[in-house]
Amino acid sequence: MRNLVFILLLATFQFPVQAAEDEERRPNVIVILTDDQGYGDMSCHGNPWLKTLNLDRMRDEGTRFEDYHVDPVCTPTRAALMTGRHSLRVGAWTVTDGRQLLNHEEVTMANVFRESGYRTGMLGKWHLGDPFPYAPRFRGFDEVVCHRAGGVDEIGNPLGNNYFDDTYFRNGKPEKFEGYCTDVFFEEMLFFIKAKKEKPFFIYLPLNAMHGPFTVANRYADRFRELGLPEKRSLFYGMVENFDENLGRLFSALKEEQLDEETIVVFMGDNGSAGGARVDEGHVGFNAGMRGSKGDTYEGGHRVACFIRWPGQVGAGRQIDELTTHHDWLPTLIDMCNLEPSEELEVDGRNLYPLLKGEEAEWADRTVFVVRHSGDPVPWSAGEKTKQRFPRRAILTKRWRVVDGELYDIERDPGQTKDLAAKHPEVIAKLDRAYQEWWRDAMAHEAACTRFFIGAEEETPTSFTARDWHPTQGQVIWKKEQLADDRILINGFWELDVREQGRYRFRLSRYPDDELQAMGASRARLRIGDIEKELSLEPADETAHFEVNLSVGPVRLQTWLTDSQSGEQRGSYYVTVTRCSQ
């Protein structure tokens, strides 16, 4: 079950409050989240090909969590990290399908730091919603440089993005940057750090590296090619070493700015390895003895590296073996930094600070639930074991792992090779009961969903894409190459929230604004709520326009484009909504 953490004003327990003097002693905080880098994708964990000198240094100079777990894919991990709450509670439990939006009522880590007097920055991959009210600039961050969607090259970003010299968004405005994506985000972070201001800083650096497509300068990948590694793995490992080089730049900058001992740095991966664990072209990767990789509910899908470095304050070279998760960092940093949230927070995580101070005896046993969900809610059913139906799940205790009905003694069998379910049915039954109880609580809101706002004063027009819809025919697309593929016939609906009553203009297109092309459609149809409209098109038309009067409240939108050649239908891949009048 969840842990209720009611945070009032943290007073004199760890840090005596001395007004402005105490404010100055609050540490800076940098939270680094790499994408698709598994536990085994670094040399300090035994990888035989990688040389990650700075990650190794961080592990040695700080404290490491050895039994540390996140979600099996990226959006849920980001949502849980930012809120301290399980992704199922906050509406962001998968990477597309309208379920990647962090509920606008949730309090984020950035909200708490800013309320406590910090200046806050976010650089990299947000993946929790791009328009108002979900974008990071609306979630507590003062300065933001980010790409949209789930990757720099995905639909929703400028079509020319390819990891080099891309266009990202500074506080919501497009801006062209020179250089490789990871270098750019680190450079922006260093600029933020060196902008010397009186306030301490909180930086969230969720990188898109090492997410596919695997792309990096040859000077990083060539060493692995020469070792005989497959091309994709050479590029993936090259991305890892580029990140490691940038991590060294950060440590040097903190020392140069005399901020080394005043800055907490936390590092973790967002899920298991995507490029380092699987067999690729006959080449067997490295997974530190674990089973599974990104997306799996086996250990390799969600157990990742996690290091914390704070010279002089957090023990160097220490290893913590207790069962810990990404939900734990919000309550931990509130305690470590003496933060002052403006409201009570209910979180699923535990405060790790006692562990970091060596108070292991106070750490009670816990049960952790890892869920691999997809799309709209699917009810839990007892005894379900198939991996083809979501949600797949893992139930974790210090000793046991229940994985989709299988049972493993993780202390004796870390590779999860021997299923003990038949031998210990009482363990399965006990942990399944705990899961059912937790599931009912976590999904008490399942009839609701996060919705795109339209007509809000803070942002109009509002745009969304096919990767954001709830599929009704086929799935979603997210690559620019898929836009022109006439074989793809897919559709879905968007859940909207009309914020102001008035007349709205809906513009439909198959291609984005920066590369508008003929849609090749003979008709366009729009249904929003109980309103349905249709119009004729010429195949050369690039857009279709509808205007409707809408009242305040929730409403569902779906569109159809009829192919002028085949007569078959697909949804409009891009929709832009503008409020015309009251």
Side-chain angles (χ1 to χ4, degrees):
M1 277 295 295
R2 58 183 174 175
N3 303 300
L4 301 183
V5 179
F6 295 107
I7 301 165
L8 302 173
L9 294 180
L10 298 180
T12 58
F13 181 64
Q14 297 299 339
F15 295 87
V17 179
Q18 300 177 15
E21 183 180 352
D22 181 72
E23 289 279 336
E24 293 176 3
R25 285 205 300 269
R26 282 180 172 167
N28 306 304
V29 176
I30 302 172
V31 175
I32 302 173
L33 184 71
T34 54
D35 200 337
D36 289 358
Q37 181 182 17
Y39 180 93
D41 296 328
M42 54 195 72
S43 51
C44 56
H45 289 160
N47 190 291
W49 303 286
L50 280 164
K51 296 178 181 178
T52 51
L53 302 181
N54 293 296
L55 275 172
D56 297 1
R57 170 189 170 189
M58 185 175 182
R59 180 181 184 269
D60 293 340
E61 293 181 352
T63 295
R64 59 189 180 272
F65 295 89
E66 276 297 290
D67 196 6
Y68 181 82
H69 299 264
V70 295
D71 284 89
V73 290
C74 43
T75 287
T77 291
R78 286 161 167 72
L81 176 63
M82 282 292 100
T83 63
R85 288 160 56 78
H86 198 285
S87 58
L88 293 182
R89 299 189 193 279
V90 301
W93 59 60
T94 189
V95 298
T96 55
D97 294 19
R99 293 293 184 177
Q100 75 282 9
L101 306 177
L102 175 62
N103 190 296
H104 70 281
E105 296 180 345
E106 294 293 331
V107 176
T108 71
M109 187 179 287
N111 292 139
V112 177
F113 272 98
R114 186 160 70 176
E115 289 168 355
S116 302
Y118 279 67
R119 57 190 179 99
T120 57
M122 180 266 160
L123 309 149
K125 170 179 172 174
W126 178 241
H127 207 183
L128 295 173
D130 298 320
F132 174 83
Y134 305 107
R137 67 186 185 279
F138 304 116
R139 307 311 295 265
F141 291 100
D142 299 319
E143 295 293 331
V144 175
V145 175
C146 67
H147 63 80
R148 292 177 172 169
V152 297
D153 64 330
E154 291 186 8
I155 290 172
N157 291 285
L159 292 184
N161 280 10
N162 66 357
Y163 285 54
F164 294 91
D165 302 330
D166 293 335
T167 295
Y168 306 130
F169 294 84
R170 187 186 297 276
N171 301 323
K173 304 295 184 183
E175 182 177 328
K176 186 75 171 178
F177 290 84
E178 293 184 3
Y180 182 64
C181 54
T182 305
D183 299 338
V184 168
F185 296 134
F186 265 92
E187 190 65 33
E188 288 294 319
M189 177 178 63
L190 296 181
F191 179 81
F192 188 86
I193 290 171
K194 293 176 182 180
K196 294 180 184 291
K197 297 185 178 180
E198 294 181 2
K199 294 182 178 180
F201 61 76
F202 165 68
I203 297 173
Y204 176 44
L205 183 69
L207 299 168
N208 66 291
M210 282 39 79
H211 196 283
F214 304 143
T215 305
V216 73
N218 283 331
R219 67 188 182 93
Y220 294 102
D222 280 346
R223 183 172 74 82
F224 302 104
R225 294 177 178 128
E226 292 168 2
L227 292 172
L229 274 62
E231 180 65 10
K232 287 184 178 180
R233 181 152 294 145
S234 295
L235 291 166
F236 177 80
Y237 282 164
M239 295 171 80
V240 173
E241 291 200 351
N242 169 266
F243 160 71
D244 188 76
E245 180 181 282
N246 276 290
L247 185 62
R249 291 176 62 204
L250 169 62
F251 291 150
S252 296
L254 291 175
K255 192 172 185 64
E256 291 169 4
E257 298 294 320
Q258 298 183 331
L259 296 173
D260 203 36
E261 295 183 0
E262 300 175 19
T263 304
I264 298 169
V265 182
V266 177
F267 161 81
M268 72 191 78
D270 71 341
N271 47 244
S273 180
R278 300 183 177 97
V279 177
D280 183 10
E281 296 180 19
H283 184 272
V284 180
F286 179 80
N287 206 24
M290 294 187 294
R291 179 177 179 180
S293 55
K294 176 182 178 178
D296 286 325
T297 44
Y298 292 110
E299 206 79 349
H302 49 83
R303 179 182 166 226
V304 298
C306 183
F307 310 146
I308 179 171
R309 178 183 184 268
W310 189 12
Q313 300 293 328
V314 170
R318 286 191 62 228
Q319 176 173 308
I320 292 174
D321 294 316
E322 302 295 345
L323 180 59
T324 53
T325 79
H326 52 333
H327 308 100
D328 298 333
W329 282 109
L330 180 55
T332 299
L333 292 172
I334 286 174
D335 191 4
M336 293 182 77
C337 302
N338 192 28
L339 304 182
E340 300 172 355
S342 61
E343 60 183 277
E344 296 176 349
L345 301 182
E346 183 178 324
V347 302
D348 291 297
R350 288 185 179 181
N351 184 359
L352 301 175
Y353 201 24
L355 292 181
L356 291 169
K357 293 184 295 182
E359 300 174 7
E360 289 90 343
E362 299 183 10
W363 193 258
D365 195 16
R366 71 195 300 194
T367 301
V368 170
F369 306 101
V370 175
V371 178
R372 176 68 167 100
H373 214 317
S374 179
D376 289 330
V378 176
W380 181 88
S381 59
E384 176 197 331
K385 192 173 179 179
T386 175
K387 295 181 182 178
Q388 300 305 313
R389 185 180 178 199
F390 291 102
R392 290 155 54 190
R393 58 194 176 275
I395 309 169
L396 286 57
T397 68
K398 181 65 178 172
R399 177 183 178 185
W400 298 108
R401 300 290 193 265
V402 177
V403 182
D404 299 326
E406 302 167 356
L407 178 66
Y408 299 95
D409 184 337
I410 203 67
E411 294 180 337
R412 297 182 178 181
D413 181 21
Q416 296 178 295
T417 61
K418 188 176 182 180
D419 180 5
L420 301 176
K423 187 176 180 179
H424 295 284
E426 75 287 354
V427 175
I428 290 280
K430 178 183 177 181
L431 293 179
D432 270 352
R433 284 194 299 270
Y435 178 83
Q436 291 181 59
E437 182 181 359
W438 171 83
W439 174 267
R440 284 190 293 268
D441 180 69
M443 295 300 288
H445 66 289
E446 69 176 81
C449 66
T450 45
R451 297 173 178 272
F452 286 94
F453 284 20
I454 62 172
E457 291 184 3
E458 292 84 350
E459 183 178 67
T460 187
T462 300
S463 298
F464 29 89
T465 74
R467 71 183 305 282
D468 303 317
W469 67 31
H470 300 248
T472 58
Q473 175 185 344
Q475 297 299 316
V476 301
I477 58 173
W478 55 84
K479 296 294 185 182
K480 60 185 179 181
E481 295 80 7
Q482 297 170 308
L483 297 173
D485 190 339
D486 288 330
R487 299 168 298 176
I488 297 176
L489 298 169
I490 57 176
N491 209 334
F493 60 84
W494 295 274
E495 295 286 7
L496 309 182
D497 188 340
V498 182
R499 305 300 288 181
E500 295 287 345
Q501 179 175 319
R503 190 163 183 82
Y504 286 79
R505 178 180 297 112
F506 290 77
R507 189 187 70 168
L508 283 54
S509 64
R510 183 172 173 175
Y511 299 94
D513 285 352
D514 57 341
E515 199 171 306
L516 278 177
Q517 299 178 37
M519 294 188 292
S522 60
R523 298 195 67 79
R525 181 159 61 103
L526 174 145
R527 180 192 298 149
I528 181 162
D530 58 3
I531 301 171
E532 189 160 341
K533 293 194 172 188
E534 190 168 356
L535 57 80
S536 297
L537 299 172
E538 294 296 329
D541 287 344
E542 298 175 339
T543 60
H545 299 261
F546 296 92
E547 289 193 11
V548 295
N549 294 317
L550 297 175
S551 300
V552 171
V555 67
R556 179 173 292 182
L557 167 69
Q558 189 159 5
T559 65
W560 292 262
L561 297 175
T562 301
D563 191 278
S564 59
Q565 296 294 322
S566 67
E568 296 180 294
Q569 294 183 326
R570 61 174 57 84
S572 173
Y573 294 158
Y574 292 83
V575 175
T576 298
V577 186
T578 305
R579 183 162 65 94
C580 307
S581 64
Q582 299 294 330

